[in-house]
Amino acid sequence: MREAVLGWEAVRANMTVAARAEWPWRLQLLDKEPLGSLLVVAAGAVFARAQYARTVRPALGWRADWTTGHLRGGVPE
């Protein structure tokens, strides 16, 4: 990802001001500080969602166990 950002900014820096005024070159990528803040918020949201999912996990389950006795249809083992 860093290589893509570096390539984008290198191309933008070597263009004329008039060319940079057109649509695709007007886009500017985030600096480190806002990007870091957004990543921390996103990571916090993912962590909170994981905690919520563990809290409201369904109580239904499935369990099997060996028993001695009769098989299906009343036939002894």
Side-chain angles (χ1 to χ4, degrees), residues 1-2 5 29-42:
M1 178 64 177
R2 285 185 283 166
V5 172
L29 304 176
L30 290 175
D31 291 334
K32 289 180 184 177
E33 290 181 22
L35 180 60
S37 297
L38 287 174
L39 288 176
V40 168
V41 168

Side-chain angles (χ1 to χ4, degrees), residues 67-77:
T67 58
T68 58
H70 294 288
L71 296 174
R72 209 178 317 155
V75 179
E77 294 181 314

Side-chain angles (χ1 to χ4, degrees), residues 5-48:
V5 172
L6 178 63
W8 177 265
E9 291 300 328
V11 170
R12 280 188 73 237
N14 290 309
M15 295 180 76
T16 64
V17 176
R20 253 187 274 148
E22 294 181 19
W23 174 72
W25 304 111
R26 283 187 306 212
L27 294 176
Q28 291 184 355
L29 304 176
L30 290 175
D31 291 334
K32 289 180 184 177
E33 290 181 22
L35 180 60
S37 297
L38 287 174
L39 288 176
V40 168
V41 168
V46 168
F47 181 72

